[in-house]
Amino acid sequence: REAITEDLWTRDALSPRDRSVVTVAMLIARNQPAELKHYIDVALDSGVTPAELSEIITHLAFYSGWPNAMSAVSVTKAVFETRGVTPDALPDTSPDLLPLNQ
């Protein structure tokens, strides 16, 4: 664990924020919700916004599968509730849809 926290996460080539985005995406893709909770917190502490985390989950749903994304939603929702993140901090969920006949 020390090699990760005292070496990998302190290297100059990527910022802690960028490392958080990569790590969260990887944990979603591999469906590892137990580890995801910690790294959602790390991401928020590193400057990743709730809206960005929401968009990462949405993006990964198409690449890693809906079950993985839904698992991530559950974990992230709990973290957001603990931190007092409200829906107004998240992207709009009501896009304009095309009529059914188009």
Side-chain angles (χ1 to χ4, degrees):
R1 182 105 184 157
E2 188 174 300
I4 291 174
T5 58
E6 293 182 18
D7 180 35
L8 183 63
W9 278 79
T10 61
R11 296 167 58 106
D12 292 333
L14 290 175
S15 69
R17 183 188 187 287
D18 292 343
R19 290 182 192 282
S20 294
V21 169
V22 170
T23 303
V24 164
M26 181 276 308
L27 292 171
I28 294 168
R30 293 189 53 170
N31 197 19
Q32 295 182 291
E35 294 86 358
L36 184 60
K37 180 191 178 308
H38 170 73
Y39 286 102
I40 292 291
D41 277 322
V42 170
L44 290 166
D45 292 343
S46 297
V48 180
T49 67
E52 290 170 322
L53 288 168
S54 176
E55 190 64 24
I56 289 167
I57 294 169
T58 300
H59 191 77
L60 268 286
F62 290 91
Y63 288 92
S64 69
W66 289 95
N68 292 8
M70 294 311 296
S71 178
V73 165
S74 178
V75 170
T76 304
K77 181 180 177 184
V79 173
F80 284 178
E81 287 174 358
T82 299
R83 287 178 167 248
V85 175
T86 58
D88 62 311
L90 304 175
D92 188 15
T93 59
S94 299
D96 293 330
L97 301 176
L98 292 173
L100 290 177
N101 62 351
Q102 289 188 3

PDB file of all heavy atoms in Angstrom, residues 20-38:
ATOM      1  N   SER A  20      -7.105  10.380  -9.966  1.00  0.00           N
ATOM      2  CA  SER A  20      -8.422  10.032  -9.425  1.00  0.00           C
ATOM      3  C   SER A  20      -9.395   9.669 -10.537  1.00  0.00           C
ATOM      4  O   SER A  20     -10.133   8.684 -10.422  1.00  0.00           O
ATOM      5  CB  SER A  20      -8.993  11.202  -8.614  1.00  0.00           C
ATOM      6  OG  SER A  20      -8.232  11.432  -7.464  1.00  0.00           O
ATOM      7  N   VAL A  21      -9.406  10.462 -11.609  1.00  0.00           N
ATOM      8  CA  VAL A  21     -10.302  10.179 -12.733  1.00  0.00           C
ATOM      9  C   VAL A  21      -9.982   8.805 -13.318  1.00  0.00           C
ATOM     10  O   VAL A  21     -10.886   7.991 -13.557  1.00  0.00           O
ATOM     11  CB  VAL A  21     -10.204  11.285 -13.811  1.00  0.00           C
ATOM     12  CG1 VAL A  21     -10.908  10.871 -15.088  1.00  0.00           C
ATOM     13  CG2 VAL A  21     -10.779  12.591 -13.289  1.00  0.00           C
ATOM     14  N   VAL A  22      -8.710   8.538 -13.547  1.00  0.00           N
ATOM     15  CA  VAL A  22      -8.297   7.254 -14.116  1.00  0.00           C
ATOM     16  C   VAL A  22      -8.676   6.105 -13.182  1.00  0.00           C
ATOM     17  O   VAL A  22      -9.213   5.076 -13.615  1.00  0.00           O
ATOM     18  CB  VAL A  22      -6.776   7.242 -14.397  1.00  0.00           C
ATOM     19  CG1 VAL A  22      -6.282   5.857 -14.762  1.00  0.00           C
ATOM     20  CG2 VAL A  22      -6.429   8.255 -15.482  1.00  0.00           C
ATOM     21  N   THR A  23      -8.419   6.268 -11.905  1.00  0.00           N
ATOM     22  CA  THR A  23      -8.678   5.200 -10.939  1.00  0.00           C
ATOM     23  C   THR A  23     -10.172   4.929 -10.803  1.00  0.00           C
ATOM     24  O   THR A  23     -10.602   3.767 -10.786  1.00  0.00           O
ATOM     25  CB  THR A  23      -8.050   5.539  -9.576  1.00  0.00           C
ATOM     26  OG1 THR A  23      -6.648   5.765  -9.772  1.00  0.00           O
ATOM     27  CG2 THR A  23      -8.254   4.421  -8.571  1.00  0.00           C
ATOM     28  N   VAL A  24     -10.973   5.981 -10.706  1.00  0.00           N
ATOM     29  CA  VAL A  24     -12.426   5.803 -10.620  1.00  0.00           C
ATOM     30  C   VAL A  24     -12.942   5.084 -11.866  1.00  0.00           C
ATOM     31  O   VAL A  24     -13.733   4.140 -11.765  1.00  0.00           O
ATOM     32  CB  VAL A  24     -13.136   7.163 -10.413  1.00  0.00           C
ATOM     33  CG1 VAL A  24     -14.629   7.072 -10.697  1.00  0.00           C
ATOM     34  CG2 VAL A  24     -12.894   7.676  -9.001  1.00  0.00           C
ATOM     35  N   ALA A  25     -12.483   5.495 -13.035  1.00  0.00           N
ATOM     36  CA  ALA A  25     -12.926   4.855 -14.274  1.00  0.00           C
ATOM     37  C   ALA A  25     -12.554   3.377 -14.294  1.00  0.00           C
ATOM     38  O   ALA A  25     -13.360   2.521 -14.681  1.00  0.00           O
ATOM     39  CB  ALA A  25     -12.339   5.577 -15.483  1.00  0.00           C
ATOM     40  N   MET A  26     -11.357   3.068 -13.869  1.00  0.00           N
ATOM     41  CA  MET A  26     -10.909   1.672 -13.854  1.00  0.00           C
ATOM     42  C   MET A  26     -11.740   0.842 -12.873  1.00  0.00           C
ATOM     43  O   MET A  26     -12.131  -0.283 -13.170  1.00  0.00           O
ATOM     44  CB  MET A  26      -9.418   1.608 -13.494  1.00  0.00           C
ATOM     45  CG  MET A  26      -8.818   0.219 -13.469  1.00  0.00           C
ATOM     46  SD  MET A  26      -9.039  -0.733 -11.931  1.00  0.00           S
ATOM     47  CE  MET A  26      -8.464   0.361 -10.683  1.00  0.00           C
ATOM     48  N   LEU A  27     -12.034   1.392 -11.704  1.00  0.00           N
ATOM     49  CA  LEU A  27     -12.816   0.650 -10.714  1.00  0.00           C
ATOM     50  C   LEU A  27     -14.249   0.420 -11.192  1.00  0.00           C
ATOM     51  O   LEU A  27     -14.838  -0.631 -10.928  1.00  0.00           O
ATOM     52  CB  LEU A  27     -12.792   1.375  -9.369  1.00  0.00           C
ATOM     53  CG  LEU A  27     -11.431   1.385  -8.671  1.00  0.00           C
ATOM     54  CD1 LEU A  27     -11.461   2.317  -7.465  1.00  0.00           C
ATOM     55  CD2 LEU A  27     -11.012  -0.023  -8.262  1.00  0.00           C
ATOM     56  N   ILE A  28     -14.801   1.395 -11.914  1.00  0.00           N
ATOM     57  CA  ILE A  28     -16.133   1.204 -12.497  1.00  0.00           C
ATOM     58  C   ILE A  28     -16.074   0.109 -13.558  1.00  0.00           C
ATOM     59  O   ILE A  28     -16.903  -0.798 -13.572  1.00  0.00           O
ATOM     60  CB  ILE A  28     -16.676   2.519 -13.094  1.00  0.00           C
ATOM     61  CG1 ILE A  28     -16.928   3.538 -11.985  1.00  0.00           C
ATOM     62  CG2 ILE A  28     -17.957   2.262 -13.906  1.00  0.00           C
ATOM     63  CD1 ILE A  28     -17.182   4.950 -12.493  1.00  0.00           C
ATOM     64  N   ALA A  29     -15.092   0.195 -14.436  1.00  0.00           N
ATOM     65  CA  ALA A  29     -14.970  -0.778 -15.527  1.00  0.00           C
ATOM     66  C   ALA A  29     -14.780  -2.195 -15.009  1.00  0.00           C
ATOM     67  O   ALA A  29     -15.274  -3.148 -15.603  1.00  0.00           O
ATOM     68  CB  ALA A  29     -13.807  -0.392 -16.444  1.00  0.00           C
ATOM     69  N   ARG A  30     -14.091  -2.330 -13.876  1.00  0.00           N
ATOM     70  CA  ARG A  30     -13.849  -3.656 -13.305  1.00  0.00           C
ATOM     71  C   ARG A  30     -14.918  -4.059 -12.292  1.00  0.00           C
ATOM     72  O   ARG A  30     -14.832  -5.125 -11.694  1.00  0.00           O
ATOM     73  CB  ARG A  30     -12.475  -3.688 -12.658  1.00  0.00           C
ATOM     74  CG  ARG A  30     -11.376  -3.551 -13.712  1.00  0.00           C
ATOM     75  CD  ARG A  30     -10.042  -3.780 -13.141  1.00  0.00           C
ATOM     76  NE  ARG A  30     -10.048  -5.066 -12.441  1.00  0.00           N
ATOM     77  CZ  ARG A  30      -8.977  -5.665 -11.986  1.00  0.00           C
ATOM     78  NH1 ARG A  30      -7.813  -5.114 -12.150  1.00  0.00           N
ATOM     79  NH2 ARG A  30      -9.055  -6.801 -11.345  1.00  0.00           N
ATOM     80  N   ASN A  31     -15.910  -3.188 -12.070  1.00  0.00           N
ATOM     81  CA  ASN A  31     -16.997  -3.436 -11.114  1.00  0.00           C
ATOM     82  C   ASN A  31     -16.459  -3.785  -9.728  1.00  0.00           C
ATOM     83  O   ASN A  31     -16.725  -4.856  -9.191  1.00  0.00           O
ATOM     84  CB  ASN A  31     -17.961  -4.507 -11.625  1.00  0.00           C
ATOM     85  CG  ASN A  31     -19.276  -4.472 -10.870  1.00  0.00           C
ATOM     86  OD1 ASN A  31     -19.610  -3.479 -10.228  1.00  0.00           O
ATOM     87  ND2 ASN A  31     -20.019  -5.561 -10.935  1.00  0.00           N
ATOM     88  N   GLN A  32     -15.713  -2.832  -9.164  1.00  0.00           N
ATOM     89  CA  GLN A  32     -15.134  -3.009  -7.836  1.00  0.00           C
ATOM     90  C   GLN A  32     -15.703  -1.956  -6.879  1.00  0.00           C
ATOM     91  O   GLN A  32     -15.014  -1.011  -6.491  1.00  0.00           O
ATOM     92  CB  GLN A  32     -13.613  -2.925  -7.919  1.00  0.00           C
ATOM     93  CG  GLN A  32     -13.017  -4.063  -8.715  1.00  0.00           C
ATOM     94  CD  GLN A  32     -11.515  -4.015  -8.760  1.00  0.00           C
ATOM     95  OE1 GLN A  32     -10.939  -3.135  -9.379  1.00  0.00           O
ATOM     96  NE2 GLN A  32     -10.892  -4.975  -8.101  1.00  0.00           N
ATOM     97  N   PRO A  33     -16.972  -2.112  -6.480  1.00  0.00           N
ATOM     98  CA  PRO A  33     -17.615  -1.087  -5.664  1.00  0.00           C
ATOM     99  C   PRO A  33     -17.003  -0.914  -4.276  1.00  0.00           C
ATOM    100  O   PRO A  33     -17.044   0.186  -3.725  1.00  0.00           O
ATOM    101  CB  PRO A  33     -19.072  -1.549  -5.577  1.00  0.00           C
ATOM    102  CG  PRO A  33     -19.024  -3.022  -5.847  1.00  0.00           C
ATOM    103  CD  PRO A  33     -17.870  -3.222  -6.787  1.00  0.00           C
ATOM    104  N   ALA A  34     -16.435  -1.955  -3.708  1.00  0.00           N
ATOM    105  CA  ALA A  34     -15.854  -1.816  -2.365  1.00  0.00           C
ATOM    106  C   ALA A  34     -14.710  -0.800  -2.365  1.00  0.00           C
ATOM    107  O   ALA A  34     -14.611   0.028  -1.459  1.00  0.00           O
ATOM    108  CB  ALA A  34     -15.371  -3.168  -1.853  1.00  0.00           C
ATOM    109  N   GLU A  35     -13.863  -0.849  -3.383  1.00  0.00           N
ATOM    110  CA  GLU A  35     -12.751   0.086  -3.476  1.00  0.00           C
ATOM    111  C   GLU A  35     -13.207   1.450  -3.996  1.00  0.00           C
ATOM    112  O   GLU A  35     -12.604   2.478  -3.708  1.00  0.00           O
ATOM    113  CB  GLU A  35     -11.658  -0.468  -4.400  1.00  0.00           C
ATOM    114  CG  GLU A  35     -10.981  -1.710  -3.866  1.00  0.00           C
ATOM    115  CD  GLU A  35     -11.723  -2.996  -4.224  1.00  0.00           C
ATOM    116  OE1 GLU A  35     -12.790  -2.935  -4.867  1.00  0.00           O
ATOM    117  OE2 GLU A  35     -11.239  -4.069  -3.849  1.00  0.00           O
ATOM    118  N   LEU A  36     -14.289   1.463  -4.769  1.00  0.00           N
ATOM    119  CA  LEU A  36     -14.762   2.690  -5.405  1.00  0.00           C
ATOM    120  C   LEU A  36     -15.126   3.763  -4.388  1.00  0.00           C
ATOM    121  O   LEU A  36     -14.825   4.937  -4.600  1.00  0.00           O
ATOM    122  CB  LEU A  36     -15.943   2.381  -6.322  1.00  0.00           C
ATOM    123  CG  LEU A  36     -16.491   3.556  -7.122  1.00  0.00           C
ATOM    124  CD1 LEU A  36     -15.423   4.155  -8.040  1.00  0.00           C
ATOM    125  CD2 LEU A  36     -17.706   3.108  -7.928  1.00  0.00           C
ATOM    126  N   LYS A  37     -15.738   3.397  -3.293  1.00  0.00           N
ATOM    127  CA  LYS A  37     -16.154   4.387  -2.293  1.00  0.00           C
ATOM    128  C   LYS A  37     -14.971   5.255  -1.877  1.00  0.00           C
ATOM    129  O   LYS A  37     -15.059   6.481  -1.868  1.00  0.00           O
ATOM    130  CB  LYS A  37     -16.783   3.720  -1.080  1.00  0.00           C
ATOM    131  CG  LYS A  37     -17.219   4.735  -0.032  1.00  0.00           C
ATOM    132  CD  LYS A  37     -17.588   4.090   1.281  1.00  0.00           C
ATOM    133  CE  LYS A  37     -17.974   5.090   2.331  1.00  0.00           C
ATOM    134  NZ  LYS A  37     -17.026   6.167   2.569  1.00  0.00           N
ATOM    135  N   HIS A  38     -13.872   4.627  -1.524  1.00  0.00           N
ATOM    136  CA  HIS A  38     -12.682   5.379  -1.090  1.00  0.00           C
ATOM    137  C   HIS A  38     -12.203   6.321  -2.189  1.00  0.00           C
ATOM    138  O   HIS A  38     -11.894   7.492  -1.932  1.00  0.00           O
ATOM    139  CB  HIS A  38     -11.567   4.407  -0.687  1.00  0.00           C
ATOM    140  CG  HIS A  38     -10.258   5.073  -0.455  1.00  0.00           C
ATOM    141  ND1 HIS A  38     -10.005   5.853   0.660  1.00  0.00           N
ATOM    142  CD2 HIS A  38      -9.129   5.109  -1.217  1.00  0.00           C
ATOM    143  CE1 HIS A  38      -8.770   6.328   0.583  1.00  0.00           C
ATOM    144  NE2 HIS A  38      -8.213   5.893  -0.542  1.00  0.00           N
TER     145      HIS A  38
END
